[in-house]
Amino acid sequence: MPLYAFGSNGNGQLGIGHREDCHEPTVCCLSADSIASVVGGGNHSLLITNDQQLWTAGACEAEQQGHKSTTPTSVFRRIADTDKDDTNVLPSSAIRVAAGWEHSLVLSSEYALWTCGANRHGQCGRSIMGSTESPTRIACMVRDEETRAAQFLAVAAGLRSSYAITNDGQLYAWGCNRSG
């Protein structure tokens, strides 16, 4: 089944092959099938297929797509593990994604949480505000007793904030907290 999108598209975030706004549902340029979920950020989009492939489109000047390029993309591009030894590469296998204005959260199939993009308000969980080092793996405060692996289960994002739920039901939040 094809994915359709319409609306603001100044950075190609609809993934329809150009950067002009679209007022009618239009088929996205995507070579994947069986889409499991789609999220939209300020000017970028992320999607996961049923086989857990991660795809992105749109703005990336703050590296919110997780690519090393800062050139916007008007078609969905698959994230691939090009260098497994590079800790600054998003996982290609994802089960959940969330998008804020200029940042993204990716929960890998190993339940590891990664962030990428702008961090001016601490929304990417990096200790240096405004840092553009991206992507970053977020350390979990809770460990599974058997595997000793981080166990994040769900993620969400606000405009300039991020949220994660752990396997013991704890909710963690970070980023802009201007209104309490």
Side-chain angles (χ1 to χ4, degrees), residues 86-179:
D86 184 357
T87 57
N88 287 338
V89 174
L90 278 176
S92 60
S93 180
I95 57 171
R96 305 265 190 285
V97 287
W101 187 255
E102 287 184 313
H103 75 290
S104 302
L105 290 86
V106 176
L107 185 59
S108 76
S109 57
E110 292 84 26
Y111 300 99
L113 178 59
W114 295 79
T115 64
C116 54
N119 191 50
R120 288 182 292 281
H121 302 275
Q123 64 267 45
C124 284
R126 294 190 292 275
S127 59
I128 301 171
M129 298 295 193
S131 167
T132 58
E133 182 182 320
S134 191
T136 301
R137 183 173 177 172
I138 303 299
C140 186
M141 294 75 171
V142 176
R143 300 285 177 185
D144 179 276
E145 292 304 318
E146 284 185 34
T147 64
R148 307 295 299 160
Q151 295 291 301
F152 286 108
L153 300 180
V155 295
L159 180 69
R160 293 182 177 101
S161 56
S162 299
Y163 310 88
I165 298 175
T166 60
N167 60 332
D168 69 346
Q170 295 294 310
L171 171 64
Y172 292 90
W174 59 96
C176 188
N177 189 28
R178 206 165 141 193
S179 297

